[in-house]
Amino acid sequence: MTTVLYRNDGDHAKIAACRLCLQGMTGNAKLALIKTIHTVIWVFFNLIIGYMIYAVAANKLDGWLWLCFGLVTVEGVVLVTFRWTCPLTLLARNYSSSRKDNFDIYLPNWLAKHTKLIYTTLAFVLLAAAVWRLLA
């Protein structure tokens, strides 16, 4: 017996079309797609961190700030779950033998190497500053 996981035939057709599209891609094209998605996510988290810096500096401790902390926390849980490695990095390893830190993202190698340390430090400093502002 087969379990149907789709709401309707239109959903099934869309998923089948996506699979067909990916199947026709070369390994290099799949790696480029993964790198693009990874870079877009990185930019998104930079916007989040940027807002967090602004909100804490301006003492604007609103719901958006706490949502940003929540998103950063979810990202942290994902990284911890995958032993401090992004799941996209694990996926990209299927399409590259490179051991450079930026093989899976469009960033300079030095930044890709230190991104987790930089943003983890920033997140904890911002959390401490936000708590300090709340208590002050």
Side-chain angles (χ1 to χ4, degrees):
M1 182 175 184
T2 303
T3 303
V4 178
L5 299 176
Y6 309 107
R7 288 179 294 180
N8 60 43
D9 289 338
D11 289 343
H12 187 275
K14 289 175 193 171
I15 291 170
C18 288
R19 285 187 182 152
L20 181 63
C21 178
L22 289 176
Q23 286 177 349
M25 294 176 72
T26 66
N28 286 340
K30 289 177 184 178
L31 180 61
L33 178 61
I34 292 166
K35 288 175 79 164
T36 300
I37 292 167
H38 204 179
T39 304
V40 167
I41 293 168
W42 184 86
V43 168
F44 173 74
F45 275 100
N46 272 276
L47 294 171
I48 286 174
I49 293 286
Y51 179 77
M52 292 166 70
I53 292 169
Y54 157 74
V56 171
N59 201 21
K60 188 176 179 185
L61 308 180
D62 58 5
W64 290 108
L65 174 64
W66 302 111
L67 175 65
C68 291
F69 274 120
L71 291 170
V72 169
T73 299
V74 168
E75 176 71 4
V77 168
V78 168
L79 289 172
V80 167
T81 301
F82 287 91
R83 297 183 183 171
W84 209 240
T85 301
C86 179
L88 289 173
T89 299
L90 298 174
L91 184 61
R93 289 197 199 286
N94 295 319
Y95 308 107
S96 176
S97 60
S98 175
R99 292 295 155 216
K100 289 184 175 182
D101 293 303
N102 67 343
F103 85 97
D104 61 335
I105 192 165
Y106 292 114
L107 293 177
N109 197 56
W110 67 269
L111 184 54
K113 181 177 183 175
H114 299 291
T115 291
K116 292 173 197 151
L117 176 63
I118 292 167
Y119 293 113
T120 301
T121 303
L122 265 173
F124 279 112
V125 167
L126 289 167
L127 179 60
V131 169
W132 180 77
R133 287 215 182 248
L134 281 173
L135 297 175

Coordinates of all heavy atoms in Angstrom, one line a residue, residues 6-54:
Y6 N 0.9 13.9 -1.0 CA 0.6 15.2 -1.7 C -0.9 15.5 -1.5 O -1.8 14.7 -1.4 CB 0.9 15.0 -3.2 CG 2.3 14.5 -3.4 CD1 2.5 13.2 -3.8 CD2 3.4 15.3 -3.2 CE1 3.8 12.7 -4.0 CE2 4.7 14.8 -3.4 CZ 4.8 13.5 -3.8 OH 6.1 13.1 -4.0
R7 N -1.2 16.8 -1.5 CA -2.5 17.3 -1.3 C -3.4 17.0 -2.6 O -4.5 16.7 -2.5 CB -2.6 18.8 -1.0 CG -2.1 19.1 0.4 CD -2.1 20.5 0.7 NE -1.1 21.1 -0.2 CZ -0.8 22.4 -0.3 NH1 -1.4 23.2 0.4 NH2 0.1 22.8 -1.1
N8 N -2.8 17.2 -3.7 CA -3.5 16.9 -5.0 C -2.5 16.6 -6.1 O -1.3 16.6 -5.9 CB -4.4 18.1 -5.3 CG -3.5 19.4 -5.5 OD1 -2.5 19.3 -6.2 ND2 -4.0 20.5 -5.0
D9 N -3.0 16.3 -7.2 CA -2.2 15.9 -8.4 C -1.3 17.0 -8.8 O -0.2 16.8 -9.3 CB -3.1 15.4 -9.5 CG -3.7 14.0 -9.3 OD1 -3.1 13.3 -8.4 OD2 -4.7 13.7 -9.9
G10 N -1.7 18.3 -8.6 CA -0.9 19.4 -9.0 C 0.4 19.5 -8.2 O 1.4 19.7 -8.7
D11 N 0.3 19.2 -6.9 CA 1.5 19.2 -6.0 C 2.4 18.1 -6.5 O 3.6 18.2 -6.6 CB 1.1 19.0 -4.6 CG 0.4 20.2 -4.0 OD1 0.5 21.3 -4.5 OD2 -0.2 20.0 -2.9
H12 N 1.9 16.9 -6.8 CA 2.7 15.8 -7.2 C 3.4 16.1 -8.5 O 4.6 15.8 -8.7 CB 1.8 14.5 -7.4 CG 2.5 13.3 -7.7 ND1 2.9 13.0 -9.0 CD2 3.0 12.3 -6.9 CE1 3.6 11.8 -9.0 NE2 3.7 11.4 -7.7
A13 N 2.7 16.8 -9.4 CA 3.3 17.1 -10.7 C 4.5 18.1 -10.5 O 5.5 18.0 -11.1 CB 2.3 17.7 -11.6
K14 N 4.3 19.1 -9.6 CA 5.3 20.1 -9.3 C 6.6 19.4 -8.7 O 7.7 19.7 -9.1 CB 4.8 21.2 -8.3 CG 3.8 22.1 -8.9 CD 3.3 23.0 -7.8 CE 2.0 23.7 -8.3 NZ 1.4 24.5 -7.2
I15 N 6.4 18.5 -7.8 CA 7.5 17.8 -7.2 C 8.2 16.9 -8.2 O 9.4 16.9 -8.3 CB 7.1 17.0 -5.9 CG1 6.7 18.0 -4.8 CG2 8.2 16.1 -5.4 CD1 6.0 17.4 -3.7
A16 N 7.4 16.3 -9.0 CA 8.0 15.4 -10.1 C 8.8 16.3 -11.0 O 9.9 15.9 -11.5 CB 6.9 14.6 -10.8
A17 N 8.3 17.4 -11.4 CA 9.0 18.3 -12.3 C 10.3 18.8 -11.7 O 11.3 18.9 -12.4 CB 8.1 19.5 -12.7
C18 N 10.3 19.1 -10.4 CA 11.5 19.6 -9.8 C 12.6 18.5 -9.8 O 13.8 18.7 -10.1 CB 11.3 20.0 -8.3 SG 10.4 21.6 -8.2
R19 N 12.1 17.3 -9.5 CA 13.1 16.1 -9.5 C 13.6 15.9 -10.9 O 14.8 15.6 -11.0 CB 12.4 14.9 -9.0 CG 12.2 14.8 -7.5 CD 11.6 13.5 -7.1 NE 11.4 13.5 -5.6 CZ 10.5 12.8 -5.0 NH1 9.8 12.0 -5.7 NH2 10.4 12.9 -3.7
L20 N 12.8 16.0 -11.9 CA 13.2 15.8 -13.3 C 14.2 16.9 -13.6 O 15.2 16.6 -14.3 CB 12.0 15.8 -14.2 CG 12.3 15.6 -15.7 CD1 12.9 14.2 -15.9 CD2 11.0 15.8 -16.5
C21 N 14.0 18.1 -13.2 CA 14.9 19.2 -13.5 C 16.3 19.0 -12.9 O 17.3 19.1 -13.5 CB 14.3 20.5 -13.0 SG 15.4 22.0 -13.2
L22 N 16.3 18.6 -11.6 CA 17.5 18.3 -10.9 C 18.2 17.1 -11.5 O 19.5 17.1 -11.6 CB 17.3 18.1 -9.4 CG 16.9 19.3 -8.6 CD1 16.6 18.9 -7.2 CD2 18.0 20.4 -8.7
Q23 N 17.5 16.1 -11.9 CA 18.1 14.9 -12.5 C 18.9 15.3 -13.8 O 19.9 14.6 -14.1 CB 17.1 13.8 -12.8 CG 16.6 13.1 -11.6 CD 15.5 12.1 -11.9 OE1 15.0 12.1 -13.0 NE2 15.2 11.3 -10.9
G24 N 18.4 16.2 -14.5 CA 19.1 16.6 -15.8 C 20.3 17.5 -15.5 O 21.0 17.8 -16.5
M25 N 20.6 17.9 -14.3 CA 21.7 18.8 -14.0 C 23.0 18.0 -13.9 O 23.0 16.9 -13.3 CB 21.4 19.6 -12.7 CG 20.2 20.6 -12.8 SD 19.9 21.4 -11.3 CE 21.3 22.5 -11.1
T26 N 24.0 18.7 -14.3 CA 25.4 18.1 -14.0 C 25.8 18.3 -12.6 O 25.1 19.1 -11.9 CB 26.4 18.7 -14.9 OG1 26.6 20.1 -14.5 CG2 26.1 18.6 -16.4
G27 N 26.8 17.6 -12.2 CA 27.3 17.8 -10.8 C 27.7 19.2 -10.6 O 27.5 19.8 -9.5
N28 N 28.4 19.8 -11.5 CA 28.8 21.2 -11.4 C 27.6 22.1 -11.3 O 27.6 23.1 -10.5 CB 29.7 21.6 -12.6 CG 31.0 21.0 -12.5 OD1 31.5 20.6 -11.5 ND2 31.7 21.0 -13.7
A29 N 26.5 21.9 -12.0 CA 25.4 22.7 -11.9 C 24.7 22.5 -10.6 O 24.2 23.5 -10.0 CB 24.4 22.4 -13.1
K30 N 24.6 21.3 -10.1 CA 24.1 21.1 -8.8 C 24.9 21.8 -7.7 O 24.3 22.4 -6.8 CB 24.0 19.6 -8.5 CG 22.9 18.9 -9.3 CD 22.9 17.4 -9.0 CE 21.9 16.7 -9.9 NZ 21.9 15.2 -9.7
L31 N 26.2 21.7 -7.8 CA 27.1 22.4 -6.8 C 26.8 23.9 -6.9 O 26.7 24.6 -5.9 CB 28.5 22.1 -7.1 CG 29.5 22.8 -6.2 CD1 29.3 22.3 -4.7 CD2 31.0 22.4 -6.6
A32 N 26.7 24.5 -8.1 CA 26.5 25.9 -8.3 C 25.1 26.3 -7.6 O 25.0 27.4 -7.0 CB 26.5 26.3 -9.7
L33 N 24.1 25.4 -7.8 CA 22.8 25.7 -7.2 C 22.9 25.7 -5.7 O 22.4 26.6 -5.0 CB 21.8 24.7 -7.7 CG 20.4 24.8 -7.1 CD1 19.8 26.2 -7.4 CD2 19.5 23.7 -7.6
I34 N 23.6 24.7 -5.1 CA 23.8 24.6 -3.7 C 24.6 25.8 -3.2 O 24.2 26.4 -2.1 CB 24.5 23.3 -3.3 CG1 23.6 22.1 -3.6 CG2 25.0 23.3 -1.8 CD1 24.4 20.8 -3.6
K35 N 25.6 26.2 -3.9 CA 26.4 27.4 -3.5 C 25.6 28.7 -3.5 O 25.7 29.5 -2.6 CB 27.6 27.6 -4.4 CG 28.7 26.6 -4.2 CD 29.8 26.7 -5.2 CE 30.7 27.8 -4.8 NZ 32.1 27.8 -5.5
T36 N 24.7 28.8 -4.5 CA 23.8 30.0 -4.6 C 22.8 30.0 -3.4 O 22.6 31.0 -2.7 CB 23.1 30.0 -5.9 OG1 24.0 30.0 -7.0 CG2 22.1 31.1 -6.0
I37 N 22.2 28.8 -3.1 CA 21.2 28.8 -2.0 C 21.9 29.1 -0.7 O 21.4 29.8 0.1 CB 20.6 27.4 -2.0 CG1 19.6 27.2 -3.2 CG2 19.8 27.2 -0.7 CD1 19.2 25.8 -3.4
H38 N 23.1 28.5 -0.5 CA 23.9 28.7 0.7 C 24.3 30.2 0.9 O 24.2 30.7 2.0 CB 25.2 27.8 0.6 CG 25.7 27.5 2.0 ND1 26.8 26.7 2.1 CD2 25.4 27.8 3.2 CE1 27.1 26.6 3.4 NE2 26.3 27.2 4.1
T39 N 24.6 30.8 -0.2 CA 25.0 32.2 -0.2 C 23.8 33.1 0.2 O 23.9 34.0 1.0 CB 25.7 32.6 -1.5 OG1 26.8 31.8 -1.7 CG2 26.1 34.1 -1.4
V40 N 22.7 32.8 -0.4 CA 21.4 33.5 -0.1 C 21.1 33.4 1.3 O 20.7 34.4 2.0 CB 20.3 33.1 -1.1 CG1 18.9 33.6 -0.6 CG2 20.5 33.5 -2.5
I41 N 21.2 32.2 1.9 CA 20.9 32.0 3.3 C 21.9 32.8 4.2 O 21.5 33.4 5.1 CB 20.9 30.5 3.7 CG1 19.8 29.8 3.0 CG2 20.9 30.3 5.2 CD1 19.8 28.3 3.1
W42 N 23.2 32.8 3.8 CA 24.2 33.6 4.5 C 23.8 35.1 4.5 O 23.9 35.7 5.5 CB 25.6 33.3 3.8 CG 26.7 34.0 4.5 CD1 27.4 33.5 5.6 CD2 27.3 35.3 4.2 NE1 28.4 34.4 6.0 CE2 28.3 35.5 5.1 CE3 27.0 36.2 3.2 CZ2 29.1 36.6 5.1 CZ3 27.8 37.4 3.2 CH2 28.8 37.6 4.1
V43 N 23.4 35.6 3.3 CA 23.0 37.0 3.2 C 21.8 37.3 4.1 O 21.8 38.3 4.8 CB 22.8 37.4 1.7 CG1 22.1 38.8 1.6 CG2 24.0 37.4 0.9
F44 N 20.8 36.4 4.1 CA 19.7 36.5 4.9 C 20.1 36.6 6.4 O 19.6 37.5 7.1 CB 18.7 35.3 4.7 CG 17.6 35.3 5.7 CD1 16.5 36.1 5.5 CD2 17.6 34.3 6.7 CE1 15.4 36.1 6.4 CE2 16.5 34.3 7.6 CZ 15.4 35.2 7.5
F45 N 21.0 35.8 6.9 CA 21.4 35.8 8.3 C 22.2 37.1 8.5 O 22.2 37.6 9.7 CB 22.1 34.6 8.7 CG 21.2 33.5 9.1 CD1 20.8 32.5 8.3 CD2 20.6 33.6 10.4 CE1 19.9 31.5 8.7 CE2 19.7 32.6 10.8 CZ 19.3 31.6 9.9
N46 N 22.9 37.6 7.5 CA 23.6 38.9 7.7 C 22.6 40.0 7.9 O 22.8 40.9 8.7 CB 24.5 39.2 6.5 CG 25.9 38.6 6.7 OD1 26.7 39.2 7.3 ND2 26.0 37.4 6.1
L47 N 21.5 40.0 7.2 CA 20.4 41.0 7.4 C 19.9 40.8 8.8 O 19.6 41.8 9.5 CB 19.4 40.8 6.4 CG 19.8 41.1 4.9 CD1 18.7 40.7 3.9 CD2 20.1 42.6 4.8
I48 N 19.7 39.6 9.3 CA 19.2 39.4 10.6 C 20.1 39.9 11.7 O 19.7 40.7 12.6 CB 18.9 37.9 10.8 CG1 17.7 37.5 10.1 CG2 18.8 37.5 12.3 CD1 17.4 36.0 10.1
I49 N 21.4 39.6 11.5 CA 22.4 40.1 12.5 C 22.5 41.6 12.4 O 22.6 42.3 13.4 CB 23.8 39.5 12.2 CG1 23.8 38.0 12.5 CG2 24.9 40.2 13.0 CD1 23.7 37.6 14.0
G50 N 22.4 42.2 11.2 CA 22.4 43.7 11.1 C 21.3 44.3 11.8 O 21.4 45.3 12.5
Y51 N 20.1 43.7 11.7 CA 18.9 44.2 12.4 C 19.1 44.1 13.9 O 18.8 45.0 14.7 CB 17.6 43.6 12.0 CG 16.5 44.1 12.8 CD1 15.9 45.4 12.5 CD2 16.0 43.5 14.0 CE1 14.9 45.9 13.3 CE2 15.0 44.0 14.7 CZ 14.5 45.3 14.4 OH 13.5 45.8 15.2
M52 N 19.7 43.0 14.3 CA 19.9 42.8 15.8 C 20.9 43.8 16.3 O 20.7 44.4 17.4 CB 20.5 41.4 16.0 CG 19.4 40.3 15.7 SD 20.1 38.6 15.6 CE 20.5 38.3 17.3
I53 N 21.9 44.1 15.6 CA 22.9 45.2 16.0 C 22.2 46.5 16.1 O 22.3 47.2 17.2 CB 24.1 45.3 15.0 CG1 24.9 44.0 15.1 CG2 24.9 46.5 15.3 CD1 26.0 43.9 14.0
Y54 N 21.4 46.9 15.1 CA 20.6 48.1 15.2 C 19.7 48.1 16.4 O 19.6 49.1 17.1 CB 19.8 48.3 13.9 CG 18.7 49.2 14.0 CD1 18.8 50.6 14.2 CD2 17.4 48.7 14.1 CE1 17.8 51.5 14.3 CE2 16.3 49.6 14.3 CZ 16.5 50.9 14.4 OH 15.4 51.8 14.6

